Amino acid sequence: QLDDKPLVKHIFFAGYEWKVKSGHYNPGDNDWLANNVWVDGDGFLHLKITCEGSQWYCAELSTVKSFGYGTYQFQVIGAVDQLDPNIVLGLFVYPGSENPDEGNELDIEYAKWGKVDGPIGNYTVVPSEATYHFPCLLNGNYTTHQFIWTDDQVLFQSFHGHAVKDEMEFANWLYRT
């Protein structure tokens, strides 16, 4: 390699190309490891947190393409209601920019932010800092989370299972700009 730029890992998942974060970056002043992200032979995306020695490493990926207004949907396998209080599962976009430091973000996050008794569900709109917190007690490991983003509002929703059905919804929040 002729220059000192880090190599970027790219993967293909759900019909899109994604770049995988590696190195020491925000958010959270974290260390990221590209090997903590992979797609298995059945097409499932895996994200994991690892510890090497005393150093913890996170996982993050983002699409190469930006999409703008529309419906963003995430199907998750795992007990998001049982995460350690120091772990954050963030399902998000950076509207208008791919740079989170510019302060534009739409988030569905499962995190207690280090507080054992804190609510684990969070829908957030940045830069307004508007956040809706909700408890989450699941009856299984399969959930669907989405937001529908238009020019004047964002509808956040979370569902039991891998289907969007009114009777399976366990949280929602409408944010109007």
Side-chain angles (χ1 to χ4, degrees):
Q1 187 172 354
L2 298 175
D3 59 38
D4 60 357
K5 292 181 182 177
L7 296 174
V8 176
K9 177 179 174 180
H10 286 251
I11 64 170
F12 291 88
F13 169 69
Y16 298 101
E17 181 179 5
W18 302 74
K19 54 188 172 188
V20 179
K21 187 181 277 189
S22 189
H24 185 83
Y25 302 100
N26 281 323
D29 194 29
N30 287 299
D31 289 294
W32 309 88
L33 189 61
N35 288 340
N36 286 353
V37 177
W38 74 95
V39 177
D40 68 22
D42 293 322
F44 290 100
L45 175 68
H46 295 262
L47 306 174
K48 71 177 181 177
I49 299 171
T50 56
C51 185
E52 295 180 12
S54 62
Q55 184 64 49
W56 288 94
Y57 294 92
C58 307
E60 181 176 307
L61 70 158
S62 58
T63 56
V64 171
K65 178 182 176 183
S66 295
F67 297 98
Y69 298 129
T71 300
Y72 292 79
Q73 187 177 95
F74 309 87
Q75 293 182 334
V76 177
I77 300 173
V80 296
D81 59 332
Q82 301 298 313
L83 294 175
D84 180 278
N86 296 303
I87 292 177
V88 176
L89 171 62
L91 312 168
F92 55 89
V93 297
Y94 297 126
S97 170
E98 294 307 309
N99 182 358
D101 294 329
E102 290 182 11
N104 295 314
E105 198 170 331
L106 300 175
D107 286 320
I108 299 172
E109 293 173 316
Y110 286 88
K112 291 187 176 185
W113 311 109
K115 299 174 184 169
V116 174
D117 295 328
I120 197 162
N122 306 274
Y123 299 141
T124 304
V125 177
V126 177
S128 71
E129 299 303 327
T131 300
Y132 175 77
H133 303 286
F134 57 93
C136 177
L137 296 172
L138 300 178
N139 57 5
N141 289 334
Y142 295 85
T143 53
T144 300
H145 313 275
Q146 70 178 16
F147 50 87
I148 303 168
W149 175 33
T150 67
D151 65 338
D152 64 348
Q153 68 183 30
V154 183
L155 173 62
F156 295 88
Q157 297 174 291
S158 293
F159 302 87
H160 293 286
H162 281 173
V164 175
K165 296 180 181 178
D166 290 344
E167 65 272 16
M168 302 301 281
E169 185 179 76
F170 65 87
N172 72 64
W173 180 51
L174 180 63
Y175 173 82
R176 295 184 193 274
T177 57

